[in-house]
Every structure is written in C-alpha cells, then in structure tokens.
C-alpha cells in the first residue's frame, strides 16, 4: 500500500540523538572528511566531475551548482570543451570562486572540436570529452578521493547519501564498482549506468585510465567502421554511456544496481515530480522501463528517500537547482507539510513534497552526513552561505 512519510500531516519533533543514533551519537560531530574517518574508520571522499561548456552566460549555472550541492563534494571540478578559436582560451578562468569555495575549471584537450555531423547539426563529441576527462582524473587526481562521480550540470546531487550507500554496503573503493541508475540494453554487457549521475570506485578509474589511453581511435561516420560496433573505441558522437559500459566490461567491471531492499532506486534520471507520478504500463516502450523487473515500483514507490543521491532535470542556468536546494534545506518543514496537506494525494505537488520530506529526514538522521543538513548553509560548519534564487 502506498503511504506518505508524513501522512498524518504533523511535523516531526526534535530528534533525541542518543535514542535515534545510539552509540554513534557519542562520537564527536562529523564535519569534514577527517572527522568522518575518525568516526567511521572509512575514507569515502567524493570527487564530482561536471562535464559542461564554458561561456560567461554559464557562470551563473556554475555558481548555482556550488551554492546548491557542489560545495558538499570533497572535490568539485568543471570539465569544459576547448574554445574553437584557440586565441580565446585565456578567456576561460582557471577556477570559479563562490563564497570562499573554489572549483577548478579543466579545459579538456579534445581532438574533435565542433563541426557539423551526419545529421546536419553541430557535433557534440561528448564521448571524447568524457573519456579524456577521466584520463585527466586518472593522471592527476586518483588519490584525491575514493568515489568518483560524473554528474550532468542539470543534476542535483547529494554526496552524503552516496557515502551512506557505500558505507552501509561495506563497499571498498579499491575494489571495482560502477553504479547508479541501471539501464537494461539488448547486448553485452546488457546493463549500463545512466550518464546523468554515474559513480565509480577508485579501482574502476584505475582500470579505466590505461584502457582509455590505449584504445583505438576512429574519426568520421560510424558507417566507415562496421567492425567496431560494440567495442571500446574512441569515436565521433555524443553517446557515451554504452561505450563506457563496454570499456568497463573489457577491464572486468560490470554495472551494479543501487536499490533499497524495497526496490526503490537511488538515482532519478527522468526528474521529479515526473517520475513520482509516472505510471508503468504493460505495453510501455519507454527506455526507462525496458527490461526493468516488475518488482521495481512506479510513482511514489519509484525512488529511494533513504539513499537518493542523484536527481536529473534541472535545466535553466541554475535557477531550478537553487529552487530544489531551497526545498531541501531552507524551506521550513512545517511549510512543506502544509503544502502537501493542501494538495490532492498522488498529485505532482503532493508527491514532490512527500519525497523531499523523506530525503530531508534521511539526511538529518544520518550521524555521518557532512555537513549536517542544518549546516548546509552555515559557513562555520562546512556549509556555504545561502543566497535565494
């Protein structure tokens, strides 16, 4: 039966940390990677790689990422295409600084850059950009984190929930892991991870780096290379998830699902509230449902509130990311409950607030989340000052 986390419409009372968290509450507060290590005995630093483009109009989006989820990554870097006019490279700054948080901008050394593709539209060589970005990470940043994320610039990410997933499942970053939202495909390796928010262990990047550096390069239309379909190659085009999964398969790494015991998924590639009200039909032809087991829930049973870490679909120069951040950490819980109670159960408005309230409670009751939910916008406790939309 479907039920809302706050179906009674009443706000949760103040937490009793000792009762809720037991021995964990006796630990000193977790405020950064070092105190997390002292409390858990684990290192679960998170590296956030955001492939994007650079121009002055997009700086607003960069700053919105930092002001919403980006400052909660242990490392945040933006990876951008080189300018088509090399003389303009100096216009790209080395970093973006927002409220004392600095994120480096890496210009990816792409060979393909622009041009018109077979469909007559400007080429988007996303695959080359992504694999060369991972080579940069492999060669320069491999020891800076344990878990490495490729995150679209219109995705909202919750680092503490990813840390909670790997910690609760005792995953070792020096073992191969490749995970996120699973997409089922018709040929080997039969599963891949959606590119909106893709996670890798350090060992997976350690294996991928040499593979990418040694793979074959093919330039031009795919029709010129009929014998390389379904292989790990550098090629033209925008699609990167399939080739990523194939390259990983060739080094012994397969996609892993991230599901709660109740089959709810941790990454939402279609966005909210759409997915929260998306009914699965028996004859659906959507890629989202293709070959997906019927044990997976739909509508509000789709998505994990305990572990949810990636939510896609916040286009708009960062404005919608900040709106999501406001719901997650600034809006009073009493307001969200009142708004939910005033909406029709099952509607977009009702489902969104129910989901947000569950996410907030999951983070608030995690003793190892850093910064703590109430400190997300407290600069003195690891957060970043809130600026409204």
């Amino acid at each position: 039966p479907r039920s809302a986390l706050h179906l009674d419409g009443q706000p949760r009372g103040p937490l009793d940390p000792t009762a809720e968290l037991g021995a964990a509450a006796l630990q000193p507060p977790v405020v950064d990677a070092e105190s997390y290590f002292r409390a858990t005995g684990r290192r679960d630093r998170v590296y956030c790689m955001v492939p994007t483009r650079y121009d002055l109009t997009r700086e607003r989006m960069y700053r919105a990422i930092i002001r919403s989820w980006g400052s909660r990554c242990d490392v945040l870097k933006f990876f951008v295409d080189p300018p088509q006019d090399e003389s303009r490279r100096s216009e790209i700054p080395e970093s973006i600084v927002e409220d004392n948080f600095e994120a480096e901008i890496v210009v990816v050394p792409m060979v393909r850059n622009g041009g018109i593709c077979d469909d007559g539209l400007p080429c988007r060589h996303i695959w080359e950009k992504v694999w060369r970005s991972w080579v940069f990470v492999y060669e320069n940043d491999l020891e800076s984190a344990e878990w490495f994320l490729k995150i679209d610039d219109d995705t909202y990410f919750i680092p503490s929930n990813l840390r909670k997933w790997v910690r609760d499942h005792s995953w070792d970053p020096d073992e191969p892991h490749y995970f996120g939202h699973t997409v089922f495909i018709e040929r080997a390796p039969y599963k891949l991870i959606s590119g909106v928010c893709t996670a890798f262990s350090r060992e997976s990047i350690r294996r991928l780096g040499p593979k990418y550096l040694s793979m074959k390069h093919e330039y031009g239309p795919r029709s010129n290379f009929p014998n390389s379909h379904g292989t790990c190659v550098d090629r033209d085009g925008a699609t990167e998830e399939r080739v990523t999964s194939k390259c990983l398969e060739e080094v012994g790494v397969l996609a892993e699902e991230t599901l709660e015991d109740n089959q709810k998924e941790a990454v939402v590639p279609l966005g909210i509230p759409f997915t929260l009200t998306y009914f699965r039909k028996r004859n659906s032809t959507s890629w989202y449902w293709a070959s997906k087991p019927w044990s997976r829930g739909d509508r509000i049973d789709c998505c994990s509130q305990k572990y949810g870490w990636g939510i896609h679909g916040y286009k708009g120069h960062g404005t919608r990311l900040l709106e999501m951040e406001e719901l997650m950490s600034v809006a009073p819980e009493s307001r969200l409950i009142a708004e939910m109670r005033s909406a029709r159960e099952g509607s977009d408005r009702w489902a969104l607030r129910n989901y947000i309230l569950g996410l907030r409670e999951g983070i608030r009751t995690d003793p190892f989340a850093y910064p703590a939910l109430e400190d997300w916008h407290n600069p003195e406790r690891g957060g970043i000052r809130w600026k409204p939309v």
Side-chain angles (χ1 to χ4, degrees):
R2 300 177 185 278
S3 62
L5 191 73
H6 292 256
L7 196 58
D8 60 2
Q10 298 301 317
R12 302 292 183 182
L15 290 175
D16 175 349
T18 303
E20 293 285 337
L21 306 177
L26 304 178
Q27 297 283 348
V30 173
V31 296
D32 56 20
E34 284 305 309
S35 53
Y36 177 93
F37 172 68
R38 290 193 296 271
T40 66
R42 295 178 54 95
R43 293 202 183 274
D44 289 317
R45 294 168 298 173
V46 175
Y47 185 111
C48 299
M49 179 185 90
V50 182
T52 184
R53 303 191 311 276
Y54 180 81
D55 59 56
L56 288 175
T57 64
R58 293 179 72 81
E59 277 200 20
R60 178 181 173 189
M61 181 269 295
Y62 290 15
R63 296 183 185 281
I65 288 174
I66 295 173
R67 286 163 52 192
S68 56
W69 58 265
S71 62
R72 296 189 282 273
C73 299
D74 296 283
V75 180
L76 171 68
K77 294 190 180 185
F78 297 103
F79 287 73
V80 304
D81 306 67
Q84 293 191 31
D85 182 353
E86 187 62 26
S87 67
R88 304 192 64 178
R89 182 179 287 256
S90 61
E91 298 177 10
I92 301 177
E94 294 183 355
S95 63
I96 294 287
V97 179
E98 180 73 10
D99 198 22
N100 296 319
F101 183 92
E102 183 172 13
E104 182 181 347
I105 297 176
V106 178
V107 180
V108 182
M110 296 174 64
V111 174
R112 303 170 185 84
N113 193 14
I116 302 298
C117 281
D118 294 344
D119 58 6
L121 299 174
C123 293
R124 300 175 64 224
H125 297 295
I126 295 175
W127 165 231
E128 182 189 7
K129 180 176 176 178
V130 168
W131 78 254
R132 290 191 185 277
S133 296
W134 284 126
V135 167
F136 175 93
V137 173
Y138 167 73
E139 293 181 332
N140 298 278
D141 294 337
L142 191 60
E143 299 305 319
S144 66
E146 284 69 44
W147 306 98
F148 294 81
L149 278 289
K150 178 253 177 188
I151 306 168
D152 282 1
D153 60 18
D154 59 345
T155 291
Y156 185 90
F157 177 53
I158 305 174
S160 60
N161 277 358
L162 182 132
R163 294 188 194 100
K164 178 163 58 176
W165 170 270
V166 297
R167 185 178 69 245
D168 284 358
H169 292 80
S170 301
W171 279 8
D172 184 340
D174 292 315
E175 294 178 352
H177 294 287
Y178 160 52
F179 56 108
H181 182 91
T182 307
V183 179
F184 295 86
I185 55 178
E186 70 283 355
R187 61 174 183 264
Y190 302 110
K191 289 191 294 187
L192 56 81
I193 299 301
S194 166
V196 303
C197 191
T198 314
F200 306 81
S201 64
R202 179 167 52 204
E203 175 61 20
S204 293
I205 303 301
R206 188 179 286 123
R207 295 186 189 188
L208 270 181
K211 184 66 177 179
Y212 287 161
L213 287 167
S214 63
M215 68 182 170
K216 184 179 179 181
H217 302 279
E218 296 177 345
Y219 299 94
R222 299 308 303 142
S223 57
N224 294 348
F225 308 97
N227 297 323
S228 67
H229 290 293
T231 61
C232 179
V233 294
D234 171 34
R235 58 170 177 75
D236 292 8
T239 303
E240 59 93 7
E241 291 104 324
R242 283 180 179 261
V243 196
T244 296
S245 68
K246 193 63 185 178
C247 294
L248 283 161
E249 180 196 30
E250 293 183 12
V251 295
V253 184
L254 299 178
E256 296 176 87
E257 299 181 79
T258 48
L259 303 167
E260 279 194 66
D261 293 340
N262 56 14
Q263 297 286 292
K264 293 184 179 183
E265 306 193 68
V267 176
V268 187
L270 296 183
I272 56 173
F274 175 80
T275 308
L276 300 171
T277 56
Y278 188 17
F279 176 72
R280 184 176 188 178
K281 299 178 181 177
R282 283 281 173 185
N283 59 349
S284 174
T285 58
S286 167
W287 66 264
Y288 180 80
W289 297 120
S291 299
K292 189 171 286 191
W294 279 92
S295 58
R296 306 293 166 78
D298 65 356
R299 293 170 286 179
I300 65 167
D301 292 327
C302 67
C303 309
S304 173
Q305 295 165 301
K306 179 179 180 180
Y307 293 115
W309 71 68
I311 306 163
H312 181 242
Y314 294 95
K315 295 186 184 298
H317 298 290
T319 301
R320 295 193 62 217
L321 281 173
L322 293 174
E323 290 171 350
M324 176 62 174
E325 177 70 6
E326 196 268 342
L327 289 174
M328 281 295 300
S329 64
V330 180
E333 187 171 292
S334 57
R335 190 195 94 188
L336 298 182
I337 293 172
E339 291 172 351
M340 192 178 85
R341 293 182 68 189
S342 69
R344 176 179 56 83
E345 183 171 343
S347 66
D348 284 1
R349 182 180 177 86
W350 180 93
L352 174 61
R353 282 150 183 81
N354 174 66
Y355 179 65
I356 294 294
L357 287 164
L359 285 175
R360 287 172 60 150
E361 179 155 316
I363 298 165
R364 188 174 62 240
T365 56
D366 177 4
F368 307 118
Y370 68 87
L373 181 64
E374 61 269 22
D375 292 328
W376 276 13
H377 296 290
N378 180 356
E380 296 181 359
R381 299 278 294 180
I384 190 167
R385 187 175 297 107
W386 171 245
K387 298 178 183 177
V389 177

